[in-house]
């Protein structure tokens, strides 16, 4: 399950750059790469650290927390990304 989530995250990370170039054709691709690189790097580092803190806190009471936390996180990411895609399909500007 975790490897499937990582595969999806890497695929979306590569696709979002192409989408950004199409949405902002006047912006140089180097600027988009810097923006996405900093935001993805920050999100990944914060996610790894925060997941460790929360899993250790929940893991004191139950060992199931080490498996439950990534499942909850993937479900929340799925909900947010599907909601943003639906907004984009109905013509709302996200960027």
């Amino acid at each position: 399950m975790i490897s499937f989530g990582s595969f999806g995250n890497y695929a979306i990370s590569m696709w979002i750059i192409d989408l950004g170039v199409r949405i902002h054709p006047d912006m140089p691709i180097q600027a988009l790469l810097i923006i996405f690189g900093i935001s993805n790097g920050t999100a990944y580092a914060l996610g790894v650290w925060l997941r460790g803190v929360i899993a250790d806190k929940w893991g004191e009471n139950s060992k199931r927390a080490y498996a439950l936390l990534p499942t909850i996180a993937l479900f929340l990411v799925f909900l947010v990304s599907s909601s943003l895609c639906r907004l984009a399909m109905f013509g709302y500007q996200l960027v």
Side-chain angles (χ1 to χ4, degrees), residues 9-74:
N9 286 335
Y10 293 136
I12 290 171
S13 295
M14 291 294 119
W15 172 78
I16 200 76
I17 294 170
D18 291 335
L19 180 67
V21 168
R22 291 183 180 132
I23 290 175
H24 302 291
D26 55 335
M27 190 175 211
I29 193 167
Q30 291 86 2
L32 286 171
L33 290 173
I34 290 170
I35 291 168
F36 288 130
I38 291 172
S39 63
N40 282 342
T42 304
Y44 290 149
L46 191 65
V48 167
W49 177 77
L50 194 59
R51 191 245 184 231
V53 169
I54 293 173
D56 287 343
K57 183 90 168 162
W58 286 1
E60 292 174 355
N61 300 328
S62 172
K63 296 298 178 191
R64 292 185 300 173
Y66 290 104
L68 188 61
L69 187 61
T71 306
I72 292 171
L74 284 173

Side-chain angles (χ1 to χ4, degrees), residues 68-84:
L68 188 61
L69 187 61
T71 306
I72 292 171
L74 284 173
F75 181 70
L76 290 175
V77 167
F78 174 74
L79 286 178
V80 169
S81 62
S82 64
S83 298
L84 290 176

